[in-house]
Amino acid sequence: MTERKGAARRAREDDRQGNPKAGEEGKEKQMIVQFFFYLFAALLLISGLLVITLRNPVHAVLFLILAFFNGAGLFLLAGAEFLAMILLVVYVGAVLVLFLFIIMMLDIDFAELRAGFTRVLPLGLLVGGVLVAELVMVFLAWQPSPMAEKLRMAATPEGVNNTEALGRILYTDHVFFFQAAGMILLVAMIGAIVLSLHHRRDVKRQDVAKQVARRREEGVRLVDVKPGEGL
Amino acid sequence: MEHDGMSMWSTFAPALPEMVLAVISMGLLMLGVFFRHRTVELVNTLAVVGLAVVAVLVLMSGSGTVEAFGGVFVVDALARVMKLLVLFATAVAIIMSVQFLRWERIERFEYAVLMLLAALGMMVMISANGLIALYLGLELQSLALYVLAAMNRESGRSSEAGMKYFVLGALASGLMLYGASLIYGFAGATTYAAIAEALKGGENIGVIVGLVFLLAGLAFKISAVPFHMWTPDVYEGAPTPVTAFFSAAPKLAAMAVILRVLYEAFPGVSDQWRQVVVFMAIASMLLAAFAGVVQKNIKRLLAYSSIGHMGFALIGVAAGGPEGLRATVFYLIIYLLLTIGTFAIVIAMRRDGRAVEEIEDFAGLASTNPGMAFGLGAMMFALAGIPWLAGFFAKYFVLVAAIRADLVVLAIIGVLASVVAAFYYLRVVKVMYFDEPKGAVSAMPFELKLVATLSVVFALAYVIWPQPIVQMAQAAIRPLIQ
């Protein structure tokens, strides 16, 4: 893991260097990269669409997982293997599995939720239409500034891998953002506890300290039963 | 990159108040968790003391503009003034909560901690000098506010308020992020200065669409029409001191952000965003004026009142220039001081151990509780903008600024809206003074009486010594008009 740059970027760099042999090789590579890009992108879009159209919520979550897998594939192609792995570990591994549990445990009648769907459909279409029109307008005016290009191509420094490079700036240049994000998570945690933890007095609770501090003398009593007398 | 002690310190020093506030809130959290029994009062007291300490740190942060963390965090006069106001509003909200939480049996130490964390988020927002810091601050304060709105778990209305606020707030955050991503995509930068630099090459439809989405997200926070729908329900459902907090501190912080974003990142496309701001100002003032008339619940009434006031403050933003900006900041300060006093009285309105929130039930308060009736009446007059009370000057300055900026139509609509709005403010006075008494309400606790008295004195006597607040507003806008 000394130098990982991502296939796409390496192909681009080779291309730019104008090395004829590398160029030949680069073209081949680029074709493969493009093939996988479109494969991942298409699967991502299809599974995304299925997430919001499928009737069975469990299936929808499973397709969401597929969507994340493809997103991770796209990250890999862009040379961001750390983000790809984080996406898998955090989102697929933790968030969505939890989500699956929640959906299975909650008895939500999705048909009932959709009951008002046709009523608000015109409004939804209107808002969606406006957003799409804006997107088209924006897309037609696509003129990235020169600086944007430079920022996008910002290369991973030589000699370190992607994860380390991220770590280096995350804890130095961006420490403020990092800490602020940490505070947000703290608030989320406090919020979850405040809103859901309920101390009920009429319920018996396990007290680990008390259990550990318990001594033999308090727990066991030797009873000398005389023969023929019983207790 | 080597850091010796001194340069490390100079990197972090501008954010010292934020860091201290974060540490204090976490310390109080630990205190509450480990000494669970009877720590609520201690935590509340220490929270107020902590806010005072942080305010002193803000005051001691020198003068001039200092940037930190590679330019994403800025401390300037605007930040200092707004932070002091936010800290003040938070401290007052905590003080006003103490008795209320006891009445409603929702005393929990997390309450003050969440207030502190919300204030921290607002401070980050105010000092944000780029879109990422802005978003992080906004999210920090919003999350804390969602929880505070739902704090009274036994009450269905409180849970509903929290849920509504959360869902709509998440939508607003989504809109804002979408806008921020467009801005980043087209300008290639997230810090305000760099965005302004990138826009010098001429306007760009992508950036403008992005800016509109960003403004939509911020308009949600100040509850400007058409992003106001959550306000009446959340104000009504949330515990009353939390409502007081909602209507004061977050609005100030979000307005500071709007000023900074529009005048530091997007001065180049002011013709485009001015239309948006003018529309929001007109819509907010008119909707608040007409919808407020039919309200029966005082908290809903004050919700519409705050929508209308934000519309007025936006007039100053639209007018721009030293005069318009000063008028906006001035408006916010006056609004903050008036709204706190109004809520102090509303919180104290209780009869037979239950909150009195229907305006009908204030009937004849003038004969049963003359002090409270006088206070609330004075606040209503001041909020309506009756001449020579504090609220009048706030409205006067924004309207003058609008006329100077050739926004005469906007000014006329503002005057008409304030005439209509005066109706519902005066109706409260009429119910209190001229209707048959419905029985006395319980006496006000000391701290609420103190806050209300100070606020009433301010509303009535502001005209005697107007300079300090004008100067404060003047100082705050200096970084924006260079």
Side-chain angles (χ1 to χ4, degrees), chain A residues 131 134-135 137-138 141-145 147-148 151 172-173 175-177 180-181 183-184 186-188 190-191 193-199, chain B residues 12 22 26 29 69 72-73 108 110 117 120 124 132-133 136 139-140 143-144 147 150-151 153-154 178 182 186-188 204-206 209 213:
Chain A
L131 287 183
E134 272 174 3
L135 256 187
M137 265 163 64
V138 166
W142 182 255
Q143 263 178 346
S145 74
M147 209 169 133
L151 276 172
T172 55
D173 296 354
V175 66
F176 176 64
F177 297 151
M183 294 307 290
I184 293 178
L186 176 68
V187 171
I190 299 174
I193 293 172
V194 167
L195 294 183
S196 60
L197 185 67
H198 207 78
H199 276 295
Chain B
F12 291 115
M26 287 187 280
L29 188 65
F69 304 110
V72 298
F73 185 91
R108 310 194 59 167
E110 289 100 335
L117 287 168
L120 175 65
V124 172
I132 302 178
L136 288 171
E139 210 57 8
L140 181 55
L143 271 177
V147 181
M151 200 77 189
R153 291 188 311 188
E154 309 296 318
Y178 181 54
L182 281 176
F186 279 90
N204 176 319
I205 185 85
V209 172
F213 276 102

